[in-house]
Amino acid sequence: MLKTTVISDGSDLARRISRRLGARHVRYAVREFPDGESKITLRGKISGRIIVVKSAYPPVDTGLLHALSLIARAREESSEVIAVVPYMGYARQDREFLSGEIVTMRVLGRLFRGAGASRVVVVDIHSTAGLRLFPIRTTNVTAIPDLARHVKKMRLKDPLVVSPDRGGEGRAKKFAAELGTGYVALEKKRDRSTGRVQIRTRSTDVSERDIVLVDDMISTGGSIVKAAQFLKRHGCRRVYVACTHALLVGDAKKSIAEAGVAGIISANTVPGRTPVDVSGAIAEAVRP
Ligand code: R5P
């Protein structure tokens, strides 16, 4: 069987994927020039079936260009190059919401194919509509069972899983099934021009219950803050957040704590967060 090589920046997640696959792990180094350009250098020989692991957390554009450059280089050595992009930036730009907006997910699909990826693997993408715009095979792996296993050990009181918006209802349902509890989805409205978030739900019975707010990602924290404030107003006990990609941009962590959230549980798709490991699910998806 063809040997597998994993190329990565040496993140915890990539090292674990590589170990699980028994793959050769080749790291790359990045030197950043004063004008913002990157010089990417592979630190070893690559061959066989190649898996490029690069999560596109901020700076998103730079991360994506690193991934595309590595894929293009890998394609020179291999006819099978799998791109593992655990956090896929631009996933929320999967349709033209306001007239004139460019659907960047469609552009990314072409770029990944053009660079030479035979397949793209992501984790809990914001919506699979974006993946359908890719002209190559895609797989969306879920971290929900891993996150739920972690939450289960927390011994919460009468837990209720809550999605901050209707779009995340399926995710909340899956999470609640893993936890063996109920779920509700709030109604969130985001102003497409300003990005401001409002919770439209009028009331919900959460009194004295521990809440697990489940989301695919936290960026500015706006959605979680509004949902937590709403749930607190309705008399819930503690609020925890379980999300796959904790980007926590700017003051997000501070605002979420100030909204009374007791803790954020997230996956290792973004380095340095609560280490809920999703390497098992990814390794299964890319195993030959
Ligand atoms: C939106 O529908 C997503 O599922 C997340 O809720 C949202 O993108 C998180 O962004 P922010 O933290 O900036 O509200």
Side-chain angles (χ1 to χ4, degrees), residues 112-135:
F112 274 91
R113 181 181 61 182
S118 5
R119 186 181 164 200
V120 175
V121 177
V122 298
V123 182
D124 288 329
I125 192 155
H126 174 67
S127 103
T128 48
L131 286 184
R132 288 196 288 276
L133 301 172
F134 276 47

Side-chain angles (χ1 to χ4, degrees), residues 92 126 165 171 188 190 197 215-223:
R92 291 175 292 178
H126 174 67
D165 52 48
R171 208 174 288 126
K188 177 179 97 178
R190 187 187 287 273
V197 166
D215 213 344
D216 55 323
M217 60 182 285
I218 303 173
S219 178
T220 63
S223 308

Side-chain angles (χ1 to χ4, degrees), residues 225-259:
V225 165
K226 290 287 178 199
Q229 288 169 340
F230 171 85
L231 294 160
K232 289 267 172 188
R233 271 202 310 278
H234 284 82
C236 72
R237 205 168 166 253
R238 297 172 297 179
V239 178
Y240 288 92
V241 179
C243 79
T244 306
H245 316 290
L247 304 182
L248 299 172
V249 171
D251 282 339
K253 211 170 169 179
K254 188 166 164 259
S255 327
I256 291 170
E258 282 170 2

Side-chain angles (χ1 to χ4, degrees), residues 26-41:
V26 173
R27 293 179 65 148
Y28 65 90
V30 178
R31 196 171 128 218
E32 200 179 307
F33 290 109
D35 61 2
E37 279 182 16
S38 304
K39 161 81 83 193
I40 307 170
T41 310

Side-chain angles (χ1 to χ4, degrees), residues 1-8 13-27 45-53 82 84 282-283 286-288:
M1 198 198 298
L2 212 56
K3 188 91 182 117
T4 301
T5 303
V6 168
I7 303 178
S8 90
L13 178 58
R15 279 187 283 118
R16 287 171 189 266
I17 294 170
S18 181
R19 268 205 302 274
R20 284 180 187 271
L21 295 172
R24 175 183 155 78
H25 187 193
V26 173
R27 293 179 65 148
K45 293 262 171 279
I46 55 170
S47 61
R49 194 173 160 262
I50 302 180
I51 302 177
V52 172
V53 181
I82 302 177
V84 173
I282 297 175
V286 299
R287 212 176 275 289

